Amino acid sequence: MSAGGDDADRVREFTEFRQRMNERILAEPNQVVRRFFALDTQAYQAGALDVKTKELLGLVASLVLRCDDCISYHVAQCREAGVGREEFFEAFSVGLVVGGSIVIPHLRRAVDFLDRLEQGGADAPSSHDH
């Protein structure tokens, strides 16, 4: 299998797992979980700040908190919102400065995920809820 196929498979696996487990979790009759997922979705809708800005904020926060799943999710959402490579690296630099050198391994994975998306990986996740 070519590297391009591996890239698409990794992105697709991430997206499919996330969607499958979100559906599984939301099938449970727990209102706290459901309301939190709804709040997460609402927080990233356009308001005084546009979606692109909010996704960049989510990306930086995820880098600082060192959550690789959240980073990958926000990289995909940022790309879908029209964030360009130079904008990504400016956001990455903010996350790195705020979070320090411990962010570097997560930055590596973020750039790898972005490269995979740009090389034709699966579509970005379709709904919010990390």
Side-chain angles (χ1 to χ4, degrees), residues 1-122:
M1 183 180 285
S2 71
D6 292 341
D7 294 343
D9 290 344
R10 181 173 171 220
V11 173
R12 186 171 19 263
E13 285 173 17
F14 170 79
T15 302
E16 289 174 357
F17 175 77
R18 187 185 155 281
Q19 181 177 352
R20 184 176 77 248
M21 292 312 300
N22 280 356
E23 289 172 3
R24 167 69 183 90
I25 290 165
L26 290 171
E28 295 293 326
N30 184 292
Q31 287 305 309
V32 173
V33 171
R34 289 179 181 186
R35 287 175 181 156
F36 188 87
F37 273 53
L39 180 62
D40 181 70
T41 297
Q42 291 170 8
Y44 287 89
Q45 293 175 355
L49 297 173
D50 62 13
V51 170
K52 182 177 174 179
T53 300
K54 287 184 174 186
E55 289 298 339
L56 285 166
L57 290 168
L59 175 58
V60 169
S62 297
L63 281 163
V64 172
L65 293 170
R66 302 184 310 274
C67 174
D68 286 329
D69 279 1
C70 298
I71 292 165
S72 295
Y73 177 80
H74 286 292
V75 165
Q77 292 299 105
C78 281
R79 190 165 180 271
E80 191 172 278
V83 173
R85 197 158 184 93
E86 191 172 336
E87 292 170 305
F88 269 112
F89 275 85
E90 287 191 15
F92 292 155
S93 70
V94 171
L96 181 60
V97 167
V98 172
S101 62
I102 198 167
V103 170
I104 292 172
H106 303 278
L107 175 60
R108 289 182 190 122
R109 288 187 285 274
V111 173
D112 180 60
F113 195 78
L114 176 60
D115 288 345
R116 290 169 189 267
L117 282 173
E118 289 178 347
Q119 292 166 8

